[in-house]
Amino acid sequence: YSLDHFVIPSHYQKDVSSILIPHGIIMDRIEKLAKLIVEDSKGPLVICCVLKGGHQFFADLVNEIKKCNTVLGQSVPLSLEFIKVRSYHNDVSTGTVTISLTDEECQDWKNKNLLIVEDIIDTGNTMVKLLHKLQEFQPASVRVASLLLKKTPKSNGYVPNYVGFAIPDEFVVGYALDYNEYFRDLDHICIISEHGKEAYAIKN
Ligand code: 5GP
Ligand code: MG
Ligand code: MG
């Protein structure tokens, strides 16, 4: 997609090299995902947003599920949860995942159907560790919706239940995905330019 045809905040004008997925296409795909999720749901869902990168996808997905709840036969009561996941990679994937809710708060998930909403699966290591951790709270079921799935040789083979788009092995930003906390305020999913990498690099 040519950059000239799309609205990009002027402060990022030189910082993206291409638009990988325009905002309108993201929204269309989310409408479809919401329908699939509602069709697959037998009862109430606990939808759990993985912050920060998942927040925009979460917000738009929840909106679309709410619309399904008013027009389709199936209606799925929702409760909304937010977790922040920290994974320690050290380049070797021996890390642990810590989640920001206390174990006590997570006890409410016992026998519930969870839907985890994540921005992107890259190696898959974070999600595999998160899913392992969640088993401690004895949910009835856990499904995962990830907006993006990176096609990378570094993948551990994990594939989420719902995927918005499979994307090439590039670092992407926008639609709440960040580079050093920047670019979350960009609607399209974009590939960052060399100028952008330099401009928002953390310099010691
Ligand atoms: P994984 O454990 O699957 O390798 O990576 C999980 C996390 O790394 C994602 O949830 C995301 O926060 C971050 N990440 C991986 N690839 C990208 C990318 O292309 N762009 C951005 N902004 N974050 C990424
Ligand atoms: Mg994430
Ligand atoms: Mg990030």
Side-chain angles (χ1 to χ4, degrees):
Y1 302 98
S2 165
L3 284 176
D4 306 339
H5 296 147
F6 293 88
V7 179
I8 296 189
S10 43
H11 52 278
Y12 292 138
Q13 214 58 252
K14 293 182 187 157
D15 302 324
V16 297
S17 59
S18 65
I19 295 177
L20 190 63
I21 315 171
H23 185 251
I25 295 181
I26 299 171
M27 296 305 286
D28 211 67
R29 182 71 184 120
I30 292 175
E31 188 178 336
K32 183 74 189 231
L33 288 176
K35 291 192 169 102
L36 295 174
I37 289 165
V38 169
E39 279 168 19
D40 291 348
S41 297
K42 301 281 178 290
L45 263 188
V46 178
I47 308 194
C48 187
C49 174
V50 181
L51 295 170
K52 297 176 188 173
H55 92 264
Q56 194 65 60
F57 176 39
F58 173 87
D60 290 328
L61 185 66
V62 167
N63 264 338
E64 286 303 328
I65 293 175
K66 288 192 299 193
K67 285 188 207 163
C68 293
N69 279 344
T70 63
V71 296
L72 298 181
Q74 279 121 314
S75 198
V76 181
L78 305 178
S79 43
L80 310 182
E81 296 276 8
F82 298 84
I83 60 174
K84 209 163 181 175
V85 171
R86 196 158 286 154
S87 54
Y88 299 93
H89 284 292
N90 299 326
D91 272 26
V92 201
S93 52
T94 56
T96 53
V97 163
T98 52
I99 62 182
S100 55
L101 292 182
T102 63
D103 282 8
E104 227 160 66
E105 289 170 298
C106 297
Q107 296 311 330
D108 292 347
W109 296 348
K110 192 170 178 179
N111 299 327
K112 301 274 175 65
N113 295 305
L114 298 185
L115 178 71
I116 308 301
V117 178
E118 174 65 297
D119 52 357
I120 184 167
I121 306 288
D122 184 5
T123 63
N125 293 339
T126 306
M127 189 51 69
V128 165
K129 284 176 207 140
L130 175 61
L131 290 173
H132 182 78
K133 171 86 182 160
L134 289 174
Q135 287 312 312
E136 283 175 27
F137 310 115
Q138 299 175 275
S141 69
V142 183
R143 284 178 291 158
V144 175
S146 182
L147 182 64
L148 306 174
L149 174 65
K150 220 182 256 191
K151 290 179 278 184
T152 166
K154 290 174 287 157
S155 165
N156 65 7
Y158 173 75
V159 177
N161 305 80
Y162 305 96
V163 175
F165 303 91
I167 63 163
D169 197 359
E170 303 265 9
F171 192 82
V172 294
V173 294
Y175 196 72
L177 285 92
D178 76 307
Y179 171 74
N180 295 333
E181 298 302 324
Y182 290 91
F183 298 99
R184 297 196 200 271
D185 57 334
L186 169 67
D187 282 338
H188 315 292
I189 292 175
C190 296
I191 296 175
I192 191 169
S193 67
E194 283 308 316
H195 186 279
K197 278 185 194 168
E198 176 63 21
Y200 298 105
I202 293 174
K203 294 181 179 116
N204 295 310

Short mmCIF file of all heavy atoms in Angstrom, two decimals, residues 61-85:
data_model
loop_
_atom_site.label_atom_id
_atom_site.label_comp_id
_atom_site.label_asym_id
_atom_site.label_seq_id
_atom_site.Cartn_x
_atom_site.Cartn_y
_atom_site.Cartn_z
N LEU A 61 -12.34 -5.75 19.50
CA LEU A 61 -12.93 -7.09 19.50
C LEU A 61 -14.14 -7.16 20.43
O LEU A 61 -15.20 -7.70 20.08
CB LEU A 61 -11.87 -8.13 19.90
CG LEU A 61 -12.28 -9.59 19.84
CD1 LEU A 61 -12.56 -10.03 18.41
CD2 LEU A 61 -11.21 -10.49 20.46
N VAL A 62 -14.00 -6.59 21.62
CA VAL A 62 -15.11 -6.58 22.58
C VAL A 62 -16.31 -5.83 21.98
O VAL A 62 -17.44 -6.28 22.06
CB VAL A 62 -14.68 -5.98 23.93
CG1 VAL A 62 -15.90 -5.68 24.82
CG2 VAL A 62 -13.72 -6.92 24.65
N ASN A 63 -16.05 -4.70 21.32
CA ASN A 63 -17.13 -3.96 20.66
C ASN A 63 -17.86 -4.81 19.64
O ASN A 63 -19.09 -4.79 19.56
CB ASN A 63 -16.57 -2.72 19.96
CG ASN A 63 -16.71 -1.50 20.83
OD1 ASN A 63 -17.54 -1.46 21.73
ND2 ASN A 63 -15.89 -0.49 20.56
N GLU A 64 -17.11 -5.53 18.83
CA GLU A 64 -17.73 -6.37 17.80
C GLU A 64 -18.50 -7.53 18.42
O GLU A 64 -19.56 -7.90 17.92
CB GLU A 64 -16.67 -6.90 16.81
CG GLU A 64 -16.16 -5.83 15.85
CD GLU A 64 -17.26 -5.15 15.03
OE1 GLU A 64 -18.27 -5.81 14.70
OE2 GLU A 64 -17.11 -3.96 14.72
N ILE A 65 -17.99 -8.11 19.50
CA ILE A 65 -18.71 -9.20 20.16
C ILE A 65 -20.02 -8.66 20.74
O ILE A 65 -21.07 -9.29 20.65
CB ILE A 65 -17.84 -9.88 21.25
CG1 ILE A 65 -16.65 -10.60 20.60
CG2 ILE A 65 -18.68 -10.89 22.05
CD1 ILE A 65 -15.66 -11.21 21.58
N LYS A 66 -19.97 -7.44 21.29
CA LYS A 66 -21.20 -6.83 21.82
C LYS A 66 -22.24 -6.66 20.71
O LYS A 66 -23.42 -6.88 20.91
CB LYS A 66 -20.89 -5.47 22.46
CG LYS A 66 -20.14 -5.61 23.78
CD LYS A 66 -20.09 -4.31 24.58
CE LYS A 66 -19.38 -3.20 23.85
NZ LYS A 66 -19.07 -2.05 24.73
N LYS A 67 -21.78 -6.29 19.50
CA LYS A 67 -22.71 -6.16 18.37
C LYS A 67 -23.32 -7.51 18.02
O LYS A 67 -24.53 -7.60 17.76
CB LYS A 67 -22.01 -5.58 17.14
CG LYS A 67 -21.74 -4.10 17.24
CD LYS A 67 -21.22 -3.60 15.88
CE LYS A 67 -20.35 -2.37 16.05
NZ LYS A 67 -19.54 -2.12 14.84
N CYS A 68 -22.50 -8.57 18.01
CA CYS A 68 -23.02 -9.92 17.75
C CYS A 68 -24.08 -10.28 18.77
O CYS A 68 -25.07 -10.94 18.46
CB CYS A 68 -21.92 -10.97 17.83
SG CYS A 68 -20.67 -10.86 16.56
N ASN A 69 -23.87 -9.86 20.00
CA ASN A 69 -24.79 -10.20 21.09
C ASN A 69 -26.17 -9.58 20.89
O ASN A 69 -27.13 -10.02 21.49
CB ASN A 69 -24.22 -9.73 22.43
CG ASN A 69 -23.20 -10.71 23.00
OD1 ASN A 69 -23.12 -11.85 22.56
ND2 ASN A 69 -22.42 -10.27 23.96
N THR A 70 -26.25 -8.55 20.05
CA THR A 70 -27.56 -7.94 19.85
C THR A 70 -28.24 -8.44 18.58
O THR A 70 -29.45 -8.33 18.46
CB THR A 70 -27.47 -6.40 19.78
OG1 THR A 70 -26.69 -6.04 18.64
CG2 THR A 70 -26.87 -5.82 21.04
N VAL A 71 -27.49 -8.98 17.64
CA VAL A 71 -28.12 -9.36 16.37
C VAL A 71 -28.23 -10.87 16.13
O VAL A 71 -29.08 -11.30 15.39
CB VAL A 71 -27.41 -8.71 15.14
CG1 VAL A 71 -27.55 -7.21 15.19
CG2 VAL A 71 -25.97 -9.12 15.03
N LEU A 72 -27.38 -11.66 16.75
CA LEU A 72 -27.42 -13.10 16.48
C LEU A 72 -28.22 -13.83 17.55
O LEU A 72 -28.54 -13.29 18.59
CB LEU A 72 -25.98 -13.66 16.45
CG LEU A 72 -25.06 -13.11 15.36
CD1 LEU A 72 -23.71 -13.76 15.45
CD2 LEU A 72 -25.67 -13.32 13.98
N GLY A 73 -28.53 -15.07 17.26
CA GLY A 73 -29.23 -15.92 18.23
C GLY A 73 -28.41 -16.11 19.49
O GLY A 73 -28.92 -15.97 20.60
N GLN A 74 -27.12 -16.43 19.30
CA GLN A 74 -26.26 -16.62 20.47
C GLN A 74 -25.99 -15.30 21.15
O GLN A 74 -25.79 -14.28 20.50
CB GLN A 74 -24.90 -17.19 20.05
CG GLN A 74 -24.88 -18.66 19.81
CD GLN A 74 -24.44 -18.94 18.40
OE1 GLN A 74 -24.91 -18.31 17.46
NE2 GLN A 74 -23.54 -19.88 18.25
N SER A 75 -25.94 -15.30 22.46
CA SER A 75 -25.56 -14.10 23.18
C SER A 75 -24.62 -14.52 24.29
O SER A 75 -24.92 -15.41 25.07
CB SER A 75 -26.82 -13.43 23.73
OG SER A 75 -26.53 -12.09 24.05
N VAL A 76 -23.46 -13.88 24.31
CA VAL A 76 -22.39 -14.32 25.21
C VAL A 76 -22.10 -13.25 26.26
O VAL A 76 -21.57 -12.18 25.93
CB VAL A 76 -21.10 -14.60 24.39
CG1 VAL A 76 -19.99 -15.07 25.29
CG2 VAL A 76 -21.37 -15.61 23.29
N PRO A 77 -22.46 -13.50 27.51
CA PRO A 77 -22.14 -12.53 28.57
C PRO A 77 -20.62 -12.43 28.73
O PRO A 77 -19.92 -13.43 28.73
CB PRO A 77 -22.77 -13.14 29.83
CG PRO A 77 -23.71 -14.20 29.36
CD PRO A 77 -23.17 -14.68 28.05
N LEU A 78 -20.13 -11.20 28.86
CA LEU A 78 -18.68 -10.98 28.93
C LEU A 78 -18.28 -10.42 30.28
O LEU A 78 -18.97 -9.55 30.81
CB LEU A 78 -18.26 -9.96 27.86
CG LEU A 78 -18.64 -10.24 26.42
CD1 LEU A 78 -18.17 -9.10 25.53
CD2 LEU A 78 -18.04 -11.56 25.96
N SER A 79 -17.17 -10.89 30.80
CA SER A 79 -16.50 -10.09 31.84
C SER A 79 -15.09 -9.81 31.35
O SER A 79 -14.50 -10.59 30.60
CB SER A 79 -16.53 -10.76 33.21
OG SER A 79 -16.25 -12.11 33.11
N LEU A 80 -14.59 -8.65 31.73
CA LEU A 80 -13.35 -8.14 31.15
C LEU A 80 -12.25 -8.10 32.20
O LEU A 80 -12.44 -7.59 33.30
CB LEU A 80 -13.58 -6.74 30.57
CG LEU A 80 -14.80 -6.60 29.65
CD1 LEU A 80 -14.91 -5.19 29.11
CD2 LEU A 80 -14.77 -7.60 28.51
N GLU A 81 -11.09 -8.63 31.83
CA GLU A 81 -9.93 -8.63 32.73
C GLU A 81 -8.73 -8.07 31.99
O GLU A 81 -8.67 -8.10 30.76
CB GLU A 81 -9.61 -10.06 33.20
CG GLU A 81 -10.68 -10.71 34.03
CD GLU A 81 -10.59 -10.34 35.51
OE1 GLU A 81 -9.79 -9.44 35.88
OE2 GLU A 81 -11.34 -10.95 36.28
N PHE A 82 -7.77 -7.57 32.75
CA PHE A 82 -6.57 -6.98 32.15
C PHE A 82 -5.35 -7.54 32.87
O PHE A 82 -5.29 -7.49 34.10
CB PHE A 82 -6.60 -5.46 32.31
CG PHE A 82 -7.76 -4.83 31.59
CD1 PHE A 82 -9.00 -4.76 32.20
CD2 PHE A 82 -7.62 -4.34 30.30
CE1 PHE A 82 -10.10 -4.21 31.55
CE2 PHE A 82 -8.71 -3.79 29.64
CZ PHE A 82 -9.95 -3.72 30.26
N ILE A 83 -4.42 -8.05 32.11
CA ILE A 83 -3.17 -8.49 32.73
C ILE A 83 -1.99 -7.90 31.97
O ILE A 83 -2.08 -7.59 30.78
CB ILE A 83 -3.01 -10.04 32.80
CG1 ILE A 83 -3.04 -10.67 31.41
CG2 ILE A 83 -4.07 -10.65 33.70
CD1 ILE A 83 -2.74 -12.15 31.41
N LYS A 84 -0.93 -7.75 32.71
CA LYS A 84 0.31 -7.30 32.10
C LYS A 84 1.25 -8.48 32.24
O LYS A 84 1.38 -9.04 33.33
CB LYS A 84 0.85 -6.10 32.88
CG LYS A 84 1.65 -5.15 32.06
CD LYS A 84 1.78 -3.83 32.79
CE LYS A 84 2.58 -2.86 31.94
NZ LYS A 84 2.61 -1.54 32.58
N VAL A 85 1.84 -8.86 31.15
CA VAL A 85 2.70 -10.04 31.18
C VAL A 85 4.14 -9.60 30.97
O VAL A 85 4.42 -8.79 30.08
CB VAL A 85 2.29 -11.04 30.07
CG1 VAL A 85 3.30 -12.16 29.95
CG2 VAL A 85 0.92 -11.60 30.37
#
